[in-house]
Amino acid sequence: DLLVLDESLTDVRAIDVCRAIREGTQFDHSVPVVMTSPTPVDPRTRMAAFAAGAWEYCGHPVDLEPVFIKLETFLRARGELVVARGEDFVNATTGLYTSFGLRQLAGKLGARALRKHEPFACVAFAPQVHDREVGSSMLWKESPVGFADVAHVFREQSRQSDVVGHVGDLRLAILAPDTDAAGARLLVARLQRELDRASENKSIGGQVRLRVGYSAVSDLASSNVNVAELVHRAESALDHAPIQGDRNAIVSFDDLPIY
């Protein structure tokens, strides 16, 4: 990933954009930021760009060869950091398991379910917050605002046997041992009730509705799928869940059309 900001922007200064994203919490600060200028370099402007968080400042005339060499170094460092993060078991922001952590635990949980011929479910969630009202309809959207609070509710209110993961920018997933399709829907209903209660108590900021996709089997041993495949199926089902969240925005992988 690489962000390039040009000084010739007419509606806002590139330095102001750079400073805003560096001071915010929603931008990944390991992404290199390069600023470009259509005019020769002004030393004071260059220093201001670096102070705002730019990794490189390029003014005309541009000597491209050293710029490309630097970019290769920046992107290599960025790539190594992404790999290192991907091998973390726990997300530092939410305190939940990462996708890597879920994959590692899926094998162990699946082995037990196979031996005991137990049901197993994976449920994927995309929380949506109340955005605005149009007429009599309430509109919802996925937003990073309040996501950490929702993740906290999931962590606190899930069963001890469940494994809760932060599997995407704004997505959560639960590995639920000894849980069939009916149990998966009960799990969703219980978490929605807890979110409603947290909203009423103002322990989370505003109303939240869940877009949900799930995949569940009544006997993992006879299902011919493993837990990793259940995760994939749950995420596929989530992709088909209605965008405008409501209490019925729940889709089972088994109900998806077969093409």
Side-chain angles (χ1 to χ4, degrees):
D1 296 340
L2 174 71
L3 177 63
V4 179
L5 299 172
D6 190 73
E7 281 277 38
S8 63
L9 295 173
T10 57
D11 53 345
V12 62
R13 296 177 64 224
I15 286 180
D16 293 336
V17 175
C18 186
R19 183 179 299 109
I21 63 177
R22 287 304 185 202
E23 292 176 351
T25 60
Q26 299 176 22
F27 184 80
D28 186 341
H29 293 180
S30 69
V31 175
V33 177
V34 175
M35 293 184 60
T36 60
S37 171
T39 59
V41 175
D42 177 351
R44 290 177 298 179
T45 303
R46 181 195 289 270
M47 289 303 299
F50 289 148
W55 291 35
E56 181 60 285
Y57 186 94
C58 303
H60 286 277
V62 178
D63 186 354
L64 289 179
E65 185 175 2
V67 170
F68 284 131
I69 291 174
K70 288 182 180 180
L71 291 183
E72 288 180 0
T73 300
F74 293 161
L75 293 175
R76 185 166 55 250
R78 158 74 178 166
E80 292 178 359
L81 179 58
V82 168
V83 170
R85 284 178 175 172
E87 293 178 351
D88 286 340
F89 260 75
V90 176
N91 181 281
T93 301
T94 62
L96 302 178
Y97 287 103
T98 62
S99 294
F100 177 78
L102 279 185
R103 288 196 304 270
Q104 298 302 306
L105 292 170
K108 297 179 181 179
L109 294 174
R112 169 192 164 89
L114 284 170
R115 289 195 308 270
K116 295 180 174 290
H117 290 267
E118 293 177 341
F120 206 102
C122 178
V123 190
F125 302 84
Q128 294 183 302
V129 297
H130 182 210
D131 184 19
R132 63 187 188 278
E133 296 185 19
V134 177
S136 60
S137 300
M138 298 179 67
L139 299 184
W140 307 80
K141 68 176 182 179
E142 295 178 18
S143 170
V145 178
F147 181 82
D149 292 335
V150 174
H152 178 74
V153 171
F154 272 53
R155 185 173 65 247
E156 293 297 313
Q157 299 301 328
S158 59
R159 303 173 305 179
Q160 287 189 348
S161 59
D162 293 338
V163 177
V164 187
H166 181 182
V167 295
D169 289 340
L170 297 174
R171 288 192 169 192
L172 302 164
I174 293 180
L175 301 180
D178 202 18
T179 302
D180 57 11
R185 297 182 73 90
L186 288 173
L187 182 154
V188 174
R190 180 167 56 80
L191 288 174
Q192 183 65 71
R193 286 195 302 271
E194 294 298 337
L195 289 170
D196 291 343
R197 184 176 293 114
S199 176
E200 293 172 1
N201 297 336
K202 301 188 183 304
S203 56
I204 61 175
Q207 294 175 280
V208 177
R209 289 290 176 266
L210 296 172
R211 286 179 62 228
V212 181
Y214 72 91
S215 182
V217 294
S218 58
D219 181 345
L220 188 65
S222 62
S223 66
N224 294 321
V225 298
N226 56 30
V227 175
E229 177 61 20
L230 289 180
V231 175
H232 174 71
R233 292 183 177 187
E235 292 178 333
S236 296
L238 176 57
D239 290 335
H240 287 79
I243 297 297
Q244 288 303 328
D246 57 40
R247 293 185 185 275
N248 297 314
I250 305 173
V251 175
S252 167
F253 178 82
D254 293 336
D255 293 333
L256 297 185
I258 300 176
Y259 296 103

